[in-house]
Amino acid sequence: MSDSNKELRVSKIRDGTVIDHVSAGQALNVLAILGIDGSGGEGVSIGMNVPSDRLGNKDIVKVEGRELSQSEVDVLSVIAPEATINIVRDYEVVDKKRVERPDVVAGILSCPNRNCITTADEPVDTRFEVLSDGLRCAYCGTIVREDEVGSHLKVS
Ligand code: CTP
Ligand code: ZN
């Protein structure tokens, strides 16, 4: 196999969004947060534990036919702080941006505190303040550490 074939684990896409430099192991959580499960008919490709100069290993997610907005992708920063978002049109990268940490994450995570009002049968959406190393429930103050985020996703 030639070197270029070795590098190209996942094919290039024509139009859509490439979420690159995703922390290794987080690709499926990225799709869960974005609510992408293939039922919309869009092409989705995933590379896991791909060698990366910058990160050692990384995951990569390619979604065809869909351009994700900054507000849609910023929430990914809680599980993939190094992610870059590439918008691809006609095979060219036309926009590249980093995910930015939002101040608040609403509705994505469930609170691990069983007595929290958001876990009772109340129509209260969850709300977490984003800290430097985790998230704090705005209702009960419970902290979800960054490495625990994946296991408290509402959406998977
Ligand atoms: N990509 C793709 N399909 C395209 C164009 C790009 O899947 N038609 C992917 C590339 O494989 C890469 C990412 O989008 O994973 C970003 O592309 P590019 O900016 O060309 O690569 P790099 O310069 O290596 O990106 P960076 O500097 O962000 O690491
Ligand atoms: Zn709570």
Side-chain angles (χ1 to χ4, degrees):
M1 200 191 271
S2 74
D3 277 352
S4 62
N5 282 340
K6 279 185 196 156
E7 278 162 29
L8 200 63
R9 297 274 194 102
V10 184
S11 305
K12 301 246 170 198
I13 62 171
R14 192 176 74 178
D15 295 292
T17 306
V18 176
I19 306 166
D20 198 1
H21 306 116
V22 171
S23 314
Q26 295 292 349
L28 294 178
N29 288 334
V30 164
L31 289 174
I33 286 180
L34 295 173
I36 294 173
D37 61 4
S39 62
E42 65 277 68
V44 179
S45 324
I46 300 173
M48 289 186 187
N49 298 316
V50 179
S52 156
D53 290 345
R54 245 196 305 141
L55 301 177
N57 276 318
K58 67 176 181 181
D59 286 1
I60 184 163
V61 175
K62 303 187 182 190
V63 183
E64 288 175 66
R66 189 164 155 195
E67 296 188 1
L68 298 171
S69 67
Q70 187 83 47
S71 61
E72 280 179 289
V73 300
D74 278 351
V75 65
L76 299 178
S77 64
V78 301
I79 57 162
E82 304 293 324
T84 51
I85 310 300
N86 301 274
I87 303 295
V88 176
R89 289 185 195 148
D90 201 15
Y91 291 105
E92 298 292 326
V93 174
V94 296
D95 189 23
K96 186 189 289 282
K97 55 200 169 204
R98 290 286 301 269
V99 293
E100 290 166 24
R101 290 179 83 83
D103 295 332
V104 169
V105 169
I108 301 280
L109 296 172
S110 56
C111 183
N113 171 10
R114 295 202 300 139
N115 297 320
C116 180
I117 185 155
T118 61
T119 57
D121 285 336
E122 300 270 344
V124 179
D125 215 354
T126 63
R127 197 177 157 81
F128 286 82
E129 292 149 23
V130 179
L131 314 175
S132 57
D133 55 354
L135 299 104
R136 179 169 55 213
C137 176
Y139 292 94
C140 73
T142 298
I143 303 275
V144 176
R145 289 199 324 267
E146 199 153 271
D147 60 339
E148 300 170 328
V149 168
S151 51
H152 294 295
L153 289 178
K154 262 189 160 177
V155 281
S156 50

